[in-house]
Amino acid sequence: MKISQRAQQLQPSATMKVSAQAKQMIADGIDVINLGIGEPDFETPKNIEQAAIDAIKSGKTSFYTPAAGILPLRTAVADKTASDYGLTDLSAQNVAITTGAKMALYSTFQTILDPGDEVLLPEPYWVSYAEQIKLAGGVPVSVPVGASFKVTPADLAAKLTNKTVAFVLNSPENPTGVIYDQQELAALNDWTKDHDIMVVTDDIYGQLVYNGASFTSIAQLADQLDPRIIIISGGSKTYSMTGWRMGYVVADEQLISKISAFLSHATGNPTAVSQYALLEAFTGNQDQVEVMRKAFEDRLNTIYPLLTAIPGFDLQVKPQGAFYLFPDVSGALKISDIATTGEFVSRLLSEAHVALVDGSAFGVKNHVRISYATDLDALKTAMARINQFMVQFKD
Ligand SMILES: Cc1ncc(COP(=O)(O)O)c(C=O)c1O
């Protein structure tokens, strides 16, 4: 048997691993609260499910579709992006539909990177970026950022080399929930323009913003889409459609035609029935989007004060988007005399029956990621359990 070097260096997704462990404990009858998971807990809105059922019954989902997706869906994504972002001249030719935003990112890195090309990743970064960049022969370059968790041009400049070709921006960000404002984005845009660096902007949490915060994408600073900028998004988070695997890339036509060629060999078309579901998500009734957003907002507002009251959990800035909290737990490690965040997370799971993710999976030490994509009662119980776990060390 032989395993390629490429596969050997691959780390499994830490968030999926924690979730699988928690799910196994639950299956074994243990009352675990899983805050490791990165998916909304709501069922997909009924109108979307119904559109999928209708599409199956019509017979049209039995067959291959074009690799970059059906034309009405590509057009709907182009139209919605144009209107949400205030961009002119976007058409179906600027859109490729993919098997989740994960494949949108994967096909992008495969299309823009040559061996040795460096990609700047502000810390903390979502787990799959680094692995996908490596799979494309590129080199992920971690960029340390200040306490605000927002990268600045100076932070990026410190890691710039003649091999830097791209920068990945995720706002609202997984795992910190921070959102960049227009001024911060303009500074980053100018810097990347000056150095001719491409920007992969992962806007998947763009509609999940809270307490009056607003989302701006770096792609919307100009009237027309800059060919250096690649927008990644999808239906998973906004429409609670993780299982349907629907994502997309919006970019320059030339790039999209290469991404389509890549997809035609990698996945073929994304699942036909899911495309009809996303088409309804984009063109149908939007009421449930607000219902789900509001539920996340309530959860954030309830658990933020509970979390920050736990001994040793420090989170100065309240998140504004996505559905995660990323507290510094250096204090908790000290109080509990536990050496590493990995061990801390593992003891929380086995003793307090709460699953969190070790922040080192996102490139940052002494932090944990807590997802609040779980119902409010379970969240409150989880906070009480973590508090109880910490209080025992104070006696
Ligand atoms: C920042 C970010 N980008 C992309 C994705 C992938 O989403 P999808 O389920 O559409 O593949 C996720 C999912 O957790 C995410 O957090």
Side-chain angles (χ1 to χ4, degrees):
M1 188 191 74
K2 175 179 180 292
I3 294 177
S4 71
Q5 296 199 350
R6 196 170 55 251
Q8 283 184 40
Q9 56 150 21
L10 210 53
Q11 300 298 323
S13 162
T15 51
M16 286 192 159
K17 204 167 121 191
V18 171
S19 263
Q21 216 175 331
K23 278 179 184 167
Q24 185 56 52
M25 287 174 75
I26 293 166
D28 293 343
I30 303 167
D31 168 29
V32 169
I33 301 177
N34 186 4
L35 307 186
I37 204 147
E39 64 178 339
D41 53 322
F42 308 102
E43 203 179 293
T44 305
K46 291 284 172 249
N47 61 314
I48 299 175
E49 289 182 349
Q50 192 55 52
I53 292 165
D54 294 346
I56 292 172
K57 287 192 170 152
S58 77
K60 59 190 172 189
T61 59
S62 303
F63 307 104
Y64 291 137
T65 77
I70 54 172
L71 192 58
L73 179 56
R74 294 175 74 189
T75 305
V77 171
D79 291 350
K80 187 162 182 350
T81 309
S83 94
D84 287 356
Y85 289 24
L87 294 170
T88 54
D89 293 339
L90 278 188
S91 75
Q93 309 305 315
N94 296 101
V95 178
I97 309 297
T98 55
T99 307
K102 243 181 200 173
M103 185 46 93
L105 287 157
Y106 189 83
S107 54
T108 295
F109 293 132
Q110 291 289 331
T111 306
I112 65 171
L113 296 181
D114 283 313
D117 282 351
E118 295 180 2
V119 182
L120 300 175
L121 292 183
E123 294 173 358
Y125 47 80
W126 179 55
V127 287
S128 292
Y129 298 142
E131 299 304 324
Q132 292 197 353
I133 290 164
K134 286 192 257 172
L135 283 169
V139 181
V141 176
S142 283
V143 180
V145 306
S148 69
F149 283 134
K150 291 187 189 179
V151 74
T152 64
D155 298 328
L156 295 176
K159 294 289 179 178
L160 180 73
T161 73
N162 59 7
K163 294 196 169 141
T164 311
V165 299
F167 154 53
V168 179
L169 179 65
N170 176 213
S171 171
E173 188 181 67
N174 176 4
T176 61
V178 302
I179 302 180
Y180 288 73
D181 66 27
Q182 290 222 16
Q183 222 179 336
E184 292 158 342
L185 293 170
L188 292 169
N189 194 38
D190 290 348
W191 185 86
T192 52
K193 214 179 223 171
D194 289 349
H195 295 88
D196 202 18
I197 306 270
M198 296 188 77
V199 183
V200 178
T201 179
D202 182 346
D203 296 356
I204 192 145
Y205 294 100
Q207 296 203 45
L208 293 175
V209 300
Y210 315 118
N211 299 312
S214 64
F215 162 68
T216 306
S217 170
I218 196 165
Q220 67 190 85
L221 298 179
D223 294 341
Q224 285 186 321
L225 185 60
D226 187 323
R228 282 181 313 106
I229 298 183
I230 300 167
I231 304 168
I232 304 291
S233 194
S236 295
K237 316 291 176 174
T238 311
Y239 298 100
S240 201
M241 291 181 71
T242 47
W244 299 84
R245 311 307 303 126
M246 274 287 100
Y248 55 84
V249 189
V250 180
D252 179 76
E253 273 186 46
Q254 232 185 316
L255 195 81
I256 290 295
S257 85
K258 286 295 172 200
I259 287 178
S260 305
F262 171 81
L263 291 168
S264 73
H265 297 293
T267 55
N269 62 272
T271 307
V273 63
S274 295
Q275 296 187 54
Y276 289 98
L278 190 67
L279 181 58
E280 170 64 19
F282 267 41
T283 56
N285 187 299
Q286 301 292 306
D287 291 353
Q288 284 307 307
V289 172
E290 176 55 14
V291 171
M292 294 189 280
R293 190 206 64 79
K294 184 77 181 72
F296 284 128
E297 184 174 84
D298 290 345
R299 294 169 183 183
L300 170 65
N301 292 342
T302 306
I303 67 159
Y304 177 73
L306 297 177
L307 179 80
T308 49
I310 298 174
F313 279 66
D314 184 18
L315 185 60
Q316 303 281 328
V317 184
K318 186 175 174 182
Q320 295 184 295
F323 38 67
Y324 310 102
L325 301 160
F326 197 63
D328 184 332
V329 292
S330 330
L333 296 182
K334 214 165 168 187
I335 295 167
S336 59
D337 204 20
I338 295 175
T340 64
T341 324
E343 199 190 323
F344 183 69
V345 163
S346 154
R347 287 205 35 200
L348 268 177
L349 181 57
S350 60
E351 295 172 35
H353 296 167
V354 178
L356 310 180
V357 185
D358 177 355
S360 59
F362 303 87
V364 175
K365 282 189 184 150
N366 299 336
H367 286 68
V368 292
R369 189 190 77 169
I370 298 172
S371 160
Y372 52 91
T374 302
D375 72 82
L376 206 46
D377 285 343
L379 284 167
K380 286 193 220 162
T381 309
M383 292 304 123
R385 287 185 189 178
I386 301 172
N387 189 56
Q388 190 66 33
F389 177 80
M390 287 311 303
V391 165
Q392 66 173 321
F393 300 109
K394 295 205 104 186
D395 295 337

